[in-house]
């Protein structure tokens, strides 16, 4: 467990340290310290004095990771890592790793791989090998974006082009499915923050048995179920059938690389006859 200890750092405004702690916990990290600063430093994210304070804190609590509440440039990460004397992970890489651990269907895995490649392109060296050990429950298989950590820039761009084409095909298929849904029963979209209870509502309405574990982004793909109409004691007639969709939950400071992952969610919310905010 000592190897999974982490110190969280946040600089500038707004900061979302409680959310960052939950993200870290989703990957099995134990948060043992928090350090905040009101001003963001362009060189090392934290100012020189705070970086020295961070090094002392990391040493006292025996942390293996420092997790930043924002996306860091490659140079900021190097400066902060040198100062802290341990592995530094930024918010974007942390969220991508959470998405990777929870991606189950083919489209979700492609979206996460694309996000990972977009993040790694200016960094080239690939995902942090220390972070790749974690996966929330011992997930240690090679996931999306893990096939070759030493992609050169040209290979990364080629793979991104291939994924974009496949995602465009998936979008076309969703459009066809959406047109069919419009011809059928009314549609209801469950929309809201991640881990807000959307999947629990879907299960209760439809009898589905989707996972409702208390983790951020436990559900990474939209799930649609038909809820069949039932008689209401014979007085109010029969409740009509309707279709309910559980969408991917939102999060603050969503990395731009993961916008693709929310395409189906945004389309489901846009096209639904009723939107239920959870």
């Amino acid at each position: 467990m000592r190897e999974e200890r982490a110190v969280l750092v946040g600089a500038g405004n707004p900061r979302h340290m409680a959310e960052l702690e939950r993200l870290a916990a989703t990957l099995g990290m134990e948060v043992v310290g928090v350090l905040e600063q009101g001003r963001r430093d362009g060189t090392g994210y934290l100012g020189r004095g705070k970086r020295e304070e961070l090094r002392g804190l990391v040493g006292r609590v025996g942390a293996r990771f420092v997790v930043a509440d924002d996306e860091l440039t490659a140079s900021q990460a190097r400066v902060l890592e040198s100062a802290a004397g341990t592995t530094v992970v930024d918010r974007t890489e942390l969220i991508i790793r959470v998405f990777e651990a929870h991606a189950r269907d083919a489209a979700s895995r492609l979206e996460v791989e694309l996000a990972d490649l977009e993040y790694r392109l200016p960094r080239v060296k690939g995902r942090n090998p220390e972070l790749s050990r974690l996966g929330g429950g011992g997930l240690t298989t090679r996931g999306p974006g893990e096939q070759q950590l030493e992609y050169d820039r040209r290979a990364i761009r080629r793979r991104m082009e291939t994924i974009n084409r496949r995602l465009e095909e998936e979008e076309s298929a969703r459009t066809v499915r959406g047109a069919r849904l419009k011809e059928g029963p009314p549609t209801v979209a469950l929309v809201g923050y991640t881990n807000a209870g959307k999947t629990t509502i879907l299960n209760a309405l439809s009898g589905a048995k989707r996972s409702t574990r208390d983790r951020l982004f436990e559900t990474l793909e939209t799930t649609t179920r038909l809820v069949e109409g039932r008689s209401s004691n014979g007085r109010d007639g029969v409740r009509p059938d309707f279709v309910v969709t559980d969408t991917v939950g939102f999060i603050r400071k969503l990395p731009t690389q993961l916008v693709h992952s929310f395409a189906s969610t945004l389309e489901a919310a846009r096209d639904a006859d009723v939107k239920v905010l959870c």
Side-chain angles (χ1 to χ4, degrees), residues 8-247:
L8 309 184
V9 295
N13 288 296
R15 300 187 298 274
H16 299 290
M17 308 307 289
E19 181 180 84
L20 188 66
E21 181 173 358
R22 293 203 64 194
L23 286 166
T26 298
L27 280 184
M29 292 180 176
E30 177 192 3
V31 175
V32 292
V34 178
L35 192 63
E36 299 182 62
Q37 178 176 293
R39 181 185 61 83
R40 192 173 302 166
D41 182 77
T43 300
Y45 186 60
L46 298 176
R48 185 187 301 272
K50 280 291 182 182
R51 294 199 297 270
E52 293 175 358
E53 185 179 343
L54 173 63
R55 187 177 189 87
L57 175 60
V58 166
R60 287 195 304 274
V61 300
R64 186 66 175 272
F65 296 97
V66 169
V67 183
D69 189 41
D70 296 277
E71 181 171 325
L72 304 178
T73 65
S75 61
Q76 284 178 326
R78 284 194 298 269
V79 170
L80 195 60
E81 192 162 275
S82 175
T86 194
T87 301
V88 171
V89 180
D90 67 16
R91 183 185 183 90
T92 297
E93 185 173 8
L94 186 70
I95 294 177
I96 289 174
R97 190 68 181 91
V98 171
F99 270 52
E100 180 187 84
H102 294 177
R104 295 177 178 87
D105 65 6
S108 295
R109 289 194 293 270
L110 282 173
E111 289 163 347
V112 175
E113 182 180 357
L114 180 61
D116 183 48
L117 292 173
E118 288 177 345
Y119 174 80
R120 288 203 281 138
L121 183 58
R123 296 166 176 83
V124 177
K125 290 184 179 180
R127 172 174 293 115
N128 197 312
E130 295 292 339
L131 188 63
S132 66
R133 297 185 305 104
L134 302 176
L139 193 153
T140 58
T141 56
R142 292 167 66 86
E146 288 283 316
Q147 294 88 344
Q148 296 180 29
L149 291 178
E150 296 303 324
Y151 274 143
D152 61 23
R153 292 181 185 273
R154 183 176 299 176
I156 289 176
R157 291 192 180 98
R158 282 201 301 264
R159 179 59 181 162
M160 288 170 63
E161 290 171 359
T162 299
I163 294 174
N164 275 316
R165 285 196 298 270
R166 293 177 64 180
L167 290 176
E168 287 172 2
E169 293 170 359
E170 176 65 22
E171 182 180 357
S172 298
R174 285 200 309 270
T175 301
V176 173
R177 290 194 296 268
R180 290 174 179 170
L181 284 176
K182 288 181 180 179
E183 298 173 357
T187 56
V188 176
L190 306 175
V191 182
Y193 187 77
T194 180
N195 205 40
K198 298 184 297 300
T199 305
T200 299
I201 295 174
L202 173 81
N203 290 345
L205 288 173
S206 67
K209 296 182 180 179
R210 302 283 295 173
S211 173
T212 56
R213 292 180 63 184
D214 186 20
R215 301 192 301 178
L216 299 189
F217 297 111
E218 178 65 10
T219 303
L220 260 192
E221 59 274 348
T222 58
T223 302
T224 300
R225 293 288 186 273
L226 174 66
V227 179
E228 296 182 351
R230 300 172 184 171
S231 174
S232 301
N233 300 322
R235 291 182 298 177
D236 300 324
V238 177
R239 188 188 70 195
D241 295 349
F242 66 92
V243 172
V244 61
T245 298
D246 175 19
T247 62

